[in-house]
Amino acid sequence: MLEAGKEFTAETFPPNEMDYNSQMFWNGGMDLNSKATMAFLRAKCVGGGSVINQCLLDRFHDEVFEEWREASSLDFLTGAEMKKHYDEIEKNLVLQEIPPEYRNKNAEIFINGMEVMGRVWSPLRRGHTDCAIEEGNDCIACLGGCHRDSKQSMLVTFLPRAREHGLETMTETTVKKIEADKQEVVVHALKSGETLQLESKKCVVAGGSFGTTSLLLASNFKKQLPALGEGFYCHPQIMNFGVYDEPIDSHKGMFQSVKSADPELHAQGFKLENVFAPPIAIALLTPGYGKQHQEWMKKFRNLACIEVAVKDVGRGRIKLDKKGRLIVEKNLTKEDQRRARIGVEFVTDIFYKTGAKKVMVSPFTFGLHLMGGCSLGADPSISVVNEEFNLHGFENIYVSDSSVFPRAPGVNPALTIMALSHRASERILANW
Ligand SMILES: Cc1cc2nc3c(=O)[nH]c(=O)nc-3n(C[C@H](O)[C@H](O)[C@H](O)COP(=O)(O)OP(=O)(O)OC[C@H]3O[C@@H](n4cnc5c(N)ncnc54)[C@H](O)[C@@H]3O)c2cc1C
């Protein structure tokens, strides 16, 4: 396994937000769209996003697979067929909800607000073993890696198993190009300024939506695969803050534990979760300059926060410029904006109905769930990866990550990335 980032352990994760942004993310924590109106976060470390995410692990509803089946013409994309892959993955993970007594005040505001508005909410399901909640551990720190090895990231779940089976890892090794003929795949990579060339019979590309798509574009696959780079989605996220008279301390304890589960809200095309972020991120999300910005930051402890994540319909595009640099064309369409607006208005109501004195909607939109670019599908003219998880026409190159999503699901993607990867692994073995 070749990984551009470093490998960290519970003992070596960077100790603060500034350091983990610069050491564990691509481009210091942020890629921007071509108009610089939207930011994207993607991990750069062994274990990828699973190391720095919240490990909220949801299955997709059957209707998502119905949409995907229609878009891809692939029959295996059904809830019933995917169930066995979810089951198999979940056998290897410890999944739990946060007990009610350990929800923080931000979660209580979310729950009260949903109930006042007559809407259904539910606990989030998280992958963790022991977060020492009763000792007052603040889980927000695990956005820079879990110092307790509690979070069910790849580092403590599937990677050790793969290593038991002989997986070798080369870190700080960036793959620049891959070439393939019927006999072998040749991978060109850069490690500490040195170029490397590796040959293998088969290769699985798993660099995430941006990583995989840009690598395949740099390797000139666009000629044979015209859909490469098309259909990028990211669940554009808007952070909304309610300002209360008393401290809410949204950053304390288990900072993310509840979500919307209301069919009507879901049908409007967005999801809600209680959430917060560490201080540098909050500073970035807060409007104004100088004194105005300072006034917001002084309220840090009094802020409640709910995210609106839009199930985006606008098809973004991933490209490379003439120098091979990543270009992401992604804007909110009118429909995406409508979904965002309804979500934000709903959350604003929640805040005011639960006693907020003021509401601030962050002017900053960002995407954490980067999906698509190498869509699954039967037709090579409108998709990139076939039902065997091969690039169309290349039986020795597989793709196994979020780049294969044909549409935005509107649900946290990580568990389904694993479930699809489980299916891909079955196909790889079947075709060996
Ligand atoms: C802050 C944050 C919180 C999130 N919370 C959740 C959550 O709670 N639940 C959820 O479902 N999802 C969450 N997500 C999203 C989720 O983590 C991602 O969707 C998921 O990790 C994507 O998996 P992937 O395998 O597609 O790619 P990644 O996890 O991004 O892995 C790709 C890996 O490939 C490496 N790579 C890329 N290009 C190259 C190259 N050319 N050479 C070598 N290596 C390369 C990268 O460095 C990276 O390590 C969150 C994301 C963020 C940023």
Side-chain angles (χ1 to χ4, degrees):
M1 184 175 81
L2 309 179
E3 165 57 51
K6 295 181 183 165
E7 178 156 5
F8 295 91
T9 65
E11 288 73 37
T12 62
F13 285 127
N16 61 57
E17 191 186 357
M18 181 85 112
D19 286 341
Y20 74 63
N21 279 340
S22 60
Q23 293 180 41
M24 300 180 75
F25 286 85
W26 286 83
N27 301 320
M30 222 174 272
D31 295 295
L32 293 171
N33 67 351
S34 51
K35 292 188 175 164
T37 52
M38 207 185 284
F40 310 106
L41 270 75
R42 57 178 176 133
K44 184 180 183 181
C45 56
V46 171
S50 75
V51 178
I52 53 78
N53 72 15
Q54 262 301 289
C55 214
L56 305 169
L57 297 176
D58 294 320
R59 293 187 181 203
F60 289 179
H61 322 289
D62 288 359
E63 74 194 46
V64 174
F65 291 118
E66 278 161 32
E67 287 170 14
W68 282 19
R69 200 167 64 251
E70 199 179 313
S72 66
S73 307
L74 293 181
D75 291 340
F76 82 85
L77 290 168
T78 65
E81 188 60 27
M82 287 304 295
K83 181 179 177 304
K84 63 182 184 214
H85 302 295
Y86 281 130
D87 288 347
E88 204 52 47
I89 291 295
E90 288 183 6
K91 274 188 212 159
N92 295 279
L93 300 170
V94 178
L95 298 171
Q96 313 185 41
E97 293 170 2
I98 309 300
E101 64 273 28
Y102 292 117
R103 287 185 197 128
N104 73 5
K105 214 163 166 183
N106 190 30
E108 294 305 331
I109 287 174
F110 183 96
I111 294 169
N112 291 343
M114 291 294 279
E115 288 177 356
V116 169
M117 307 277 281
R119 297 298 185 177
V120 186
W121 62 274
S122 77
L124 281 160
R125 194 171 65 141
R126 249 175 57 130
H128 69 260
T129 49
D130 174 18
C131 291
I133 322 176
E134 56 298 332
E135 290 165 29
N137 183 34
D138 295 328
C139 272
I140 205 157
C142 89
L143 290 173
C146 175
H147 292 262
R148 303 181 55 80
D149 274 345
S150 170
K151 175 159 57 181
Q152 298 290 278
S153 77
M154 292 301 123
L155 292 180
V156 298
T157 54
F158 291 96
L159 263 176
R161 287 189 58 190
R163 283 175 168 158
E164 278 168 23
H165 288 277
L167 174 78
E168 289 176 26
T169 319
M170 283 174 78
T171 60
E172 297 175 79
T173 306
T174 306
V175 181
K176 293 291 186 186
K177 194 175 172 188
I178 54 177
E179 294 169 307
D181 58 27
K182 292 261 177 282
Q183 274 73 45
E184 64 172 8
V185 185
V186 181
V187 174
H188 302 269
L190 202 59
K191 184 175 173 64
S192 314
E194 303 269 315
T195 48
L196 299 174
Q197 190 172 309
L198 296 105
E199 288 94 35
S200 68
K201 284 196 176 128
K202 290 175 193 278
C203 154
V204 182
V205 190
S209 178
F210 287 175
T212 292
T213 309
S214 58
L215 174 61
L216 295 176
L217 286 167
S219 307
N220 292 323
F221 284 98
K222 180 86 175 168
K223 275 187 247 149
Q224 295 100 319
L225 300 164
L228 181 61
E230 305 296 324
F232 164 67
Y233 304 89
C234 66
H235 292 158
Q237 196 165 314
I238 300 122
M239 299 279 263
N240 305 276
F241 298 89
V243 187
Y244 292 75
D245 283 340
E246 69 284 2
I248 306 299
D249 285 337
S250 298
H251 58 291
K252 298 296 287 177
M254 309 301 283
F255 78 101
Q256 201 169 10
S257 57
V258 282
K259 64 175 177 181
S260 56
D262 194 285
E264 274 183 45
L265 295 185
H266 179 73
Q268 300 276 9
F270 62 85
K271 72 178 174 75
L272 309 175
E273 281 168 15
N274 84 306
V275 71
F276 208 63
I280 295 175
I282 295 290
L284 197 71
L285 293 165
T286 308
Y289 297 98
K291 193 157 171 45
Q292 189 198 1
H293 189 262
Q294 187 190 28
E295 288 305 318
W296 280 115
M297 290 307 288
K298 277 190 193 161
K299 296 188 175 80
F300 187 86
R301 292 193 58 201
N302 293 33
L303 298 175
C305 181
I306 299 175
E307 70 175 48
V308 174
V310 173
K311 181 183 177 192
D312 45 337
V313 291
R315 288 172 63 74
R317 176 177 291 148
I318 299 168
K319 304 195 319 193
L320 299 181
D321 70 7
K322 285 192 182 126
K323 291 190 173 162
R325 289 173 303 203
L326 179 70
I327 305 279
V328 183
E329 291 176 355
K330 175 73 184 171
N331 300 300
L332 294 186
T333 61
K334 282 215 166 79
E335 174 58 18
D336 295 330
Q337 289 174 27
R338 190 189 69 80
R339 293 173 180 210
R341 193 172 55 248
I342 298 171
V344 168
E345 283 168 5
F346 182 82
V347 171
T348 303
D349 272 356
I350 286 191
F351 286 140
Y352 282 127
K353 286 187 174 156
T354 52
K357 291 291 160 5
K358 226 175 175 177
V359 172
M360 182 259 284
V361 180
S362 173
F364 202 74
T365 305
F366 58 95
L368 304 178
H369 301 165
L370 313 182
M371 303 165 289
C374 303
S375 173
L376 273 167
D379 178 351
S381 69
I382 54 167
S383 66
V384 176
V385 173
N386 66 22
E387 67 181 326
E388 299 297 306
F389 290 80
N390 285 132
L391 287 186
H392 288 295
F394 295 89
E395 285 178 9
N396 43 13
I397 302 181
Y398 292 85
V399 178
S400 176
D401 58 24
S402 54
S403 69
V404 304
F405 281 24
R407 294 283 184 276
V411 182
N412 288 321
L415 187 68
T416 305
I417 299 169
M418 295 184 229
L420 286 173
S421 298
H422 181 259
R423 186 172 181 97
S425 71
E426 281 186 351
R427 301 317 307 149
I428 293 169
L429 289 175
N431 295 329
W432 198 251

